[in-house]
């Protein structure tokens, strides 16, 4: 299996680490080589800590890093055998839609395109493609290598088969998938906002 990760920042590099540690080949993309290098350094640093703690060996670390390839340009050639792409760019609808339009043009027809968005509507993002039935939300939590939960969000056009496949992939990489409805904040952030509001109210009341 090969997976593409769009965005080499904190979330993107963390998600990439999860996949390569579970034996999956990963293509890590960002708009500048320096961003990709930074993401790879973060992964290398995390793996070095595991070596120091005796959780993995140097050889295992080298094998894991060997599954990771960085690219600046997305092309049909370097995406030809990618089964899943997880977009982890900044939380901007216009930018995400642009990314998905490009992915739709460059990725094979059977590739599932997932967004790590924490709140934007999957159905809206899917309209940027000609394959809305292959677009889904796959929301990891920070830090991705540690947090077990993954929210799996179907858009209005996402069939149950795509949802089941993403849930199965989540389990294969050691995560706990939770299928949620498409709504602002999905589940976890909606609950978190409610808790924060209650805490602020309690503090303001001097309780």
């Amino acid at each position: 299996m090969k997976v593409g990760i769009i965005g080499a920042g904190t979330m993107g590099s963390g998600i990439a680490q999860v996949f390569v540690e579970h034996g999956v080949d990963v293509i890590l993309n960002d708009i500048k080589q320096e961003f990709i290098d930074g993401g790879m350094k973060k992964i290398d640093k995390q793996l070095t800590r595991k070596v120091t703690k005796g959780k993995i060996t140097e050889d295992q670390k080298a094998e894991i890093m060997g599954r990771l390839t960085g690219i600046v340009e997305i092309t049909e050639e370097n995406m030809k055998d990618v089964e899943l792409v997880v977009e982890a760019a900044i939380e901007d609808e216009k930018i995400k839609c642009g990314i998905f339009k490009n992915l739709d043009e460059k990725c094979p027809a059977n590739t599932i395109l997932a967004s790590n968005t924490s709140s934007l509507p999957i159905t809206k993002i899917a309209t940027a493609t000609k394959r809305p039935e292959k677009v889904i939300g796959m929301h990891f939590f920070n830090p991705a290598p540690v947090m077990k939960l993954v929210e799996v969000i179907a858009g209005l056009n996402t069939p149950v088969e795509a949802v089941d496949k993403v849930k199965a992939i989540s389990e294969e990489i050691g995560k706990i998938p939770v299928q949620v409805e498409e709504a602002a904040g999905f589940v976890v952030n909606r609950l978190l906002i409610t808790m924060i509001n209650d805490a602020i109210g309690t503090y303001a009341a001097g309780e």
Side-chain angles (χ1 to χ4, degrees):
M1 180 180 182
K2 181 177 285 187
V3 170
I5 306 295
I6 310 302
T10 298
M11 285 306 303
S13 62
I15 294 169
Q17 181 182 335
V18 172
F19 277 103
V20 292
E21 284 196 275
H22 284 83
V24 179
D25 291 330
V26 170
I27 292 176
L28 183 62
N29 163 261
D30 214 313
I31 58 175
K32 292 183 179 181
Q33 185 62 46
E34 62 188 89
F35 296 160
I36 296 170
D37 293 342
M40 288 187 167
K41 286 179 181 178
K42 289 178 184 176
I43 297 172
D44 186 89
K45 183 178 180 179
Q46 292 301 317
L47 295 177
T48 297
R49 288 180 179 176
K50 290 193 173 187
V51 172
T52 301
K53 294 179 179 179
K55 294 183 177 181
I56 61 173
T57 65
E58 284 285 357
D59 287 343
Q60 288 173 321
K61 174 191 169 184
E63 182 181 348
I64 292 169
M65 289 299 296
R67 300 188 191 111
L68 188 62
T69 302
I71 60 168
V72 173
E73 184 180 1
I74 295 173
T75 66
E76 291 183 9
E77 177 61 26
N78 57 37
M79 302 300 280
K80 64 182 180 181
D81 51 358
V82 169
E83 296 179 36
L84 169 71
V85 177
V86 182
E87 167 273 316
I90 62 173
E91 201 74 348
D92 181 293
E93 186 176 295
K94 184 177 180 180
I95 290 175
K96 287 183 185 293
C97 284
I99 290 171
F100 272 75
K101 182 178 185 299
N102 187 38
L103 290 171
D104 184 47
E105 295 170 351
K106 303 296 172 55
C107 293
N110 65 330
T111 302
I112 294 177
L113 307 179
S115 177
N116 185 57
T117 179
S118 60
S119 60
L120 296 176
I122 302 303
T123 301
K124 175 64 176 178
I125 294 173
T127 61
T129 76
K130 296 178 181 178
R131 62 175 93 186
E133 76 284 355
K134 292 290 185 180
V135 178
I136 196 167
M138 191 176 187
H139 180 215
F140 291 78
F141 292 85
N142 189 33
V146 177
M147 302 297 283
K148 289 291 186 180
L149 189 68
V150 172
E151 290 180 320
V152 179
I153 312 101
L156 292 178
N157 299 297
T158 311
V160 65
E161 293 80 9
V163 174
D164 288 344
K165 183 170 183 179
V166 171
K167 287 166 69 175
I169 291 172
S170 299
E171 291 174 347
E172 290 170 7
I173 59 173
K175 299 302 182 184
I176 301 172
V178 176
Q179 185 177 344
V180 302
E181 296 298 321
E182 185 177 42
F186 308 133
V187 169
V188 174
N189 282 336
R190 289 179 74 182
L191 292 173
L192 179 61
I193 290 171
T194 300
M195 291 170 62
I196 291 173
N197 286 339
D198 284 345
I200 292 172
T202 300
Y203 177 78
E207 297 177 0

